[in-house]
Structures are given as C-alpha cells and as structure tokens.
C-alpha cells in the first residue's frame, strides 16, 4: 500500500487554547477516512492544517509527496509555491460552497485548471463538462451559482475541486449547510468517489453516512484521536468509554 498522508506529532493552538494535541495519522492511497466527534473537538482545524490553511505549531504533515513543518515568521516565495502545489494535489470542499458568483457553473469548474495549471481552454472545458456530468449537472453549465439550489452548488464545488485532478480530497462537513432533502444529492456523489477509490478525508456529523463511505472511522475528542478502526467496529463495538459516550448521545 502507498502512503498518501503522514501526520506526526501535530499540535495547533489559538493563543492559549490548545486545539490539537500531538496528532499522529497515516492514510493510504484509495482509503476513505471519516472523522467524527463533537463540535469543537478539532476535526475541522485538523483538516485545515493538512491543507496549510492553518499553520501548524509543531510536528510534520506530509501529504501527496509534500512535507510541511512548523515555521516562524513570514513565508518565503518557495514556501508559497509549495503551498500552491499542495492545493493542486489536495482538493478541499467546505461547508459553504465558495463558488464565484460572477462565473457560470462551467466557468467555476474551469477556473482552477486555467489559472493555476495554465491548461488549454478547450481541454479545460471538455474536462469540466465531463465532471459536471459526473456530479449530475451536465445541463447546468451555463447557469450561475445564484440560480442553483444548495445541493447543486455543493456538487459544483466538488466538480471544481476534482478539476485540479487532486491526489487527495478533503471534505469539511460538506452537507451541514444543506436542507435535509438536498443532502442526499451530495452524499451520492461522495459515495461514488469512495467506490472509485478516491483518497478522501471527510469531517461529518452524519453517522449513517460515515458508516456508508468510510474504510476507517477516527473519533476525535478534545484535540486527540481517541479511537479509530473500521466503521463496523467503531459503531457497534467501540473500545473506549469516550467513544461509547459520544455515540450514545448522537445516536439517540
């Protein structure tokens, strides 16, 4: 198995508040990992540290062949270029869709390959149309984000991330901003990605969804990884008392 993500002794604080306490994780290519835990336990912060949206205080993060360590002071031009390379290799989808409102759906999906990778316009458009078909929006390429439902906008956001041909996909509660009837649209796209062997880390509060798509479930609590394992073990035979308490509360 090829290791795609290695995290060693990662810590992160905001002022005096320590959010992550020495996180260690290894993830293999094609593995779908789901992070669960109460709000404020550090899951989303961890994801943002992986993508270098938040600087780490100590430890190392290796993702898709790039390694980052804690660094004091401003970033150099070389540091910024490595971050750019990371964001090509690790696509991220947020709770809010963050689409460009002035661009069409097709334009949103094409933007990254054109601007960041310098892709040929015709190739970028062809790829964007293939991805929009993949997420069930082949007929909405000329629409604008404001004309779409939340579920449709999130599917465009997924297509936009996939357009960069990333090695890893990071999802930060991608269905939490959606009405219940729209969540299934996004879940179906993500199930397909998992079935296709996409390397994914997903933060979610939806336990049934976690059980559906995960190869491995990781339970975070108070900035620590408390327990991890296959979904069947975590959800039916958790070993740690804190895991059992969390699942008892959330599955009531």
């Amino acid at each position: 198995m090829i290791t795609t993500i290695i995290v060693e002794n990662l810590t992160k604080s905001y002022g005096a508040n320590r959010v992550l306490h020495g996180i260690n994780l290894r993830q293999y290519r094609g593995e779908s990992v789901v992070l669960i835990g109460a709000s404020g336990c550090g899951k989303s912060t961890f994801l943002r540290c992986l993508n270098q949206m938040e600087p780490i205080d100590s430890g190392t993060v290796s993702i898709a062949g790039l390694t980052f360590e804690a660094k004091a002071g401003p970033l150099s031009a070389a540091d910024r270029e490595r971050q750019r390379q990371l964001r090509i290799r690790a696509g991220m989808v947020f709770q809010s869709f963050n689409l460009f409102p002035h661009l069409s759906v097709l334009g949103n999906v094409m933007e990254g390959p054109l601007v960041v990778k310098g892709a040929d316009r015709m190739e970028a458009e062809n790829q964007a149309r293939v991805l929009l078909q993949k997420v069930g929006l082949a007929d909405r390429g000329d629409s604008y984000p404001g004309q779409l439902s939340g579920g449709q906008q999130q599917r465009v956001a997924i297509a936009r991330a996939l357009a960069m041909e990333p090695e890893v996909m990071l999802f930060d509660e991608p269905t939490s901003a959606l009405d219940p009837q729209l969540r299934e649209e996004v879940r179906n796209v993500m199930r397909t990605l998992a079935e296709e062997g996409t390397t994914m880390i997903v933060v979610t509060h939806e336990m049934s969804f976690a059980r559906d798509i995960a190869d491995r479930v990781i339970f975070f609590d108070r900035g620590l990884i408390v327990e991890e394992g296959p979904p069947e073990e975590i959800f039916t035979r958790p070993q740690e008392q804190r895991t059992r308490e969390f699942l008892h509360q959330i599955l009531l």
Side-chain angles (χ1 to χ4, degrees), residues 87-94 99 108-110 112-113 117 127 131 154-171 193:
R87 288 165 190 161
I88 292 173
R89 302 182 198 186
M92 191 156 180
V93 177
F94 302 88
L99 300 178
N108 266 277
V109 179
M110 293 171 59
K117 299 176 78 173
Q127 179 198 38
L131 289 171
Q154 191 63 293
R155 285 185 280 155
V156 174
I158 293 172
R160 183 177 62 178
L162 291 172
M164 298 299 287
E165 300 179 318
E167 296 181 40
V168 178
M169 286 287 287
L170 308 174
F171 293 90
L193 294 177

Side-chain angles (χ1 to χ4, degrees), residues 184-241:
E184 192 62 18
E185 300 176 9
V186 177
R187 287 192 292 249
N188 284 337
V189 171
M190 293 176 65
R191 286 188 188 100
T192 298
L193 294 177
E195 290 165 1
E196 291 175 348
T198 304
T199 307
M200 302 163 54
I201 298 184
V202 181
V203 172
T204 185
H205 288 289
E206 297 185 68
M207 297 302 107
S208 60
F209 182 48
R211 189 192 290 261
D212 279 352
I213 67 166
D215 296 309
R216 180 162 43 124
V217 174
I218 296 177
F219 171 56
F220 266 68
D221 188 49
R222 302 171 193 171
L224 292 166
I225 292 177
V226 173
E227 186 168 357
E228 60 183 286
E232 186 65 20
E233 290 185 10
I234 295 297
F235 288 114
T236 63
R237 299 182 299 278
Q239 300 300 303
E240 299 294 329
Q241 179 64 24

